[in-house]
Amino acid sequence: MTKIIQVENDLSVLDEAAEALSAGQLVAFPTETVYGLGASALDEAAVGHIFEAKGRPQDNPLIVHVSNRDMLNSVVKSVPAAAAQLMETFWPGPLTIILEKSDLISHTVTAGLETVAVRMPNHPAALHLIEKSGVPVAAPSANLSGSPSTTRASHVIADLSGRVDYIIDGGACLVGLESTVLDMTGEVPQILRPGGVSLEALQMVLGEVRYEPALQDAEKTPKSPGMKYRHYAPKAELLLVDAGEEKRIEEFLNEAKEKGNKTGVLCCTRHPYDAEYVVPCGTDAAAYAHSLFDALRQMDDWGVELIIAELPADSGGIVPALKNRMLKAAGGRVVSDVVETRAERI
Ligand code: TXA
Ligand code: MG
């Protein structure tokens, strides 16, 4: 049985779930990025249950969420000065930092690695839950492995009801895409997954930062185990078309209509597409990021067979993260008259 708790002004409604968390149960909770599926990072059996509940491959390590600096210090070997500076600037917030792990963190959490990913989420319910439980909380995104991440409690209920002990309903997640994963264990800091904190923002603090090569070259093996899997995919076929190529989209819509395919459009321009299912995702990238996963799930709920999604034209900020998720969800394919490499897209 899964118990659902609504977040209220008085966060003590979460104390029961916090206690369950420290006792080894699974609790799905909201963060500012996406919902997380939490277990005590100090309880190997509980962490094992996360992998079972999601159907997650064992070789994909989890992020350890903390609510204060003492908790952070207990899970890592040390905090280098540059990492401390990042925490000062971006925590609580959508930045996950990879550091050397301490002995407290088992290889079940890190999938055998000597490093651990750590993050302090910027959400009052998440922080209260972790603080009250008194344990660092290992949590991947709270979706079935391979599906779009969950940005509303209703998504979590659809994927994980009956598989977890608690689901905390904190409404829609603000950012809508996952955190930036930054590896601070090498000579030059590397972004393993673009996310809520941009490359430019990190460069302001650190100077030199780069995307890890595999993010821009599909032939290379990603350093972050999670990045090699097909991810975020709706059940429908997803076709990405550059925003601005309205004619193309209209052609696809006509073709689909002739074939009798149920078709939907995700759009970020004001173009009025003649399709039965249209989800306007906002004309700025932050709004698109906020609604992407919700829109993909909505299309599946409608039974849409083909989704045509406009790929935003701008760059910088959240755009690389948005394009990364869209490309992964579409299996890397973009239909375009303009021949571009993946490098140019990120
Ligand atoms: O916003 C987020 O990051 C959300 C919320 C819940 O915090 N969490 C999330 O977790 O997206 P997950 O498990 O879906 O993605 C974690 C990513 C994966 O790509 C994983 O491979 C990578 O982080 N990762 C975790 N630990 C790592 C490590 N030690 N080295 C390299 N990559 C790591
Ligand atoms: Mg995930």
Side-chain angles (χ1 to χ4, degrees):
M1 258 293 282
T2 301
K3 190 165 175 186
I4 296 165
I5 300 177
Q6 297 285 333
V7 173
E8 291 170 17
N9 283 342
D10 179 1
L11 290 174
S12 65
V13 291
L14 306 179
D15 292 357
E16 174 190 338
E19 203 167 300
L21 198 51
S22 61
Q25 296 196 2
L26 297 189
V27 178
F29 60 96
T31 81
E32 80 282 28
T33 56
V34 299
Y35 274 75
L37 172 55
S40 165
L42 309 183
D43 185 330
E44 274 199 69
V47 171
H49 292 150
I50 290 181
F51 288 88
E52 283 166 28
K54 280 192 58 132
R56 182 179 176 101
Q58 297 284 343
D59 67 348
N60 194 1
L62 306 177
I63 296 173
V64 173
H65 296 69
V66 298
S67 57
N68 62 62
R69 288 294 286 272
D70 284 341
M71 201 182 263
L72 167 77
N73 291 333
S74 73
V75 300
V76 298
K77 211 167 241 169
S78 66
V79 180
Q85 222 177 334
L86 290 172
M87 291 166 192
E88 281 295 314
T89 314
F90 298 109
W91 278 11
L95 176 66
T96 294
I97 302 173
I98 303 204
L99 296 171
E100 309 276 326
K101 79 172 191 68
S102 76
D103 292 340
L104 209 55
I105 295 300
S106 75
H107 285 131
T108 313
V109 173
T110 67
L113 299 173
E114 291 309 314
T115 56
V116 63
V118 286
R119 172 164 117 82
M120 190 184 288
N122 188 15
H123 194 293
L127 290 172
H128 182 91
L129 184 76
I130 302 165
E131 189 69 19
K132 272 281 164 179
S133 73
V135 290
V137 174
S141 48
N143 52 283
L144 288 175
S145 209
S147 309
S149 299
T150 50
T151 57
R152 294 173 183 274
S154 57
H155 305 157
V156 185
I157 292 167
D159 273 23
L160 298 175
S161 187
R163 294 169 172 258
V164 304
D165 300 293
Y166 287 87
I167 295 173
I168 294 170
D169 181 351
C173 301
L174 219 58
V175 179
L177 299 181
E178 302 84 348
S179 62
T180 303
V181 177
L182 181 70
D183 185 0
M184 291 297 290
T185 63
E187 236 157 67
V188 177
Q190 284 199 88
I191 295 178
L192 307 187
R193 178 179 74 180
V197 173
S198 69
L199 173 73
E200 306 87 74
L202 292 170
Q203 282 169 335
M204 295 269 275
V205 175
L206 295 174
E208 197 180 1
V209 183
R210 62 175 176 232
Y211 285 120
E212 81 117 336
L215 275 178
Q216 298 173 320
D217 182 350
E219 304 294 303
K220 296 205 165 78
T221 307
K223 195 167 173 209
S224 178
M227 295 303 284
K228 69 174 184 260
Y229 295 106
R230 179 149 190 247
H231 257 157
Y232 320 114
K235 294 184 191 88
E237 189 189 347
L238 176 63
L239 211 61
L240 305 182
V241 181
D242 283 315
E245 293 194 38
E246 283 96 6
K247 282 244 149 51
R248 268 272 170 151
I249 296 184
E250 276 160 7
E251 275 166 31
F252 282 123
L253 281 172
N254 287 336
E255 217 172 277
K257 215 176 258 174
E258 273 163 31
K259 283 192 200 152
N261 285 338
K262 218 173 181 180
T263 308
V265 181
L266 300 192
C267 57
C268 58
T269 59
R270 293 186 203 283
H271 194 79
Y273 291 106
D274 178 24
E276 207 178 335
Y277 303 94
V278 178
V279 179
C281 289
T283 48
D284 69 277
Y288 205 158
H290 174 77
S291 47
L292 175 71
F293 290 141
D294 186 45
L296 293 177
R297 283 176 176 266
Q298 179 67 73
M299 290 286 180
D300 277 345
D301 289 347
W302 283 328
V304 164
E305 296 157 290
L306 174 68
I307 306 170
I308 302 170
E310 287 185 330
L311 205 56
D314 37 350
S315 60
I318 193 86
V319 174
L322 179 58
K323 288 188 176 174
N324 170 271
R325 303 311 187 271
M326 292 178 80
L327 279 158
K328 282 220 167 279
R333 288 179 315 128
V334 183
V335 179
S336 178
D337 289 332
V338 192
V339 181
E340 290 178 80
T341 63
R342 291 195 65 201
E344 284 166 300
R345 293 197 168 276
I346 288 255

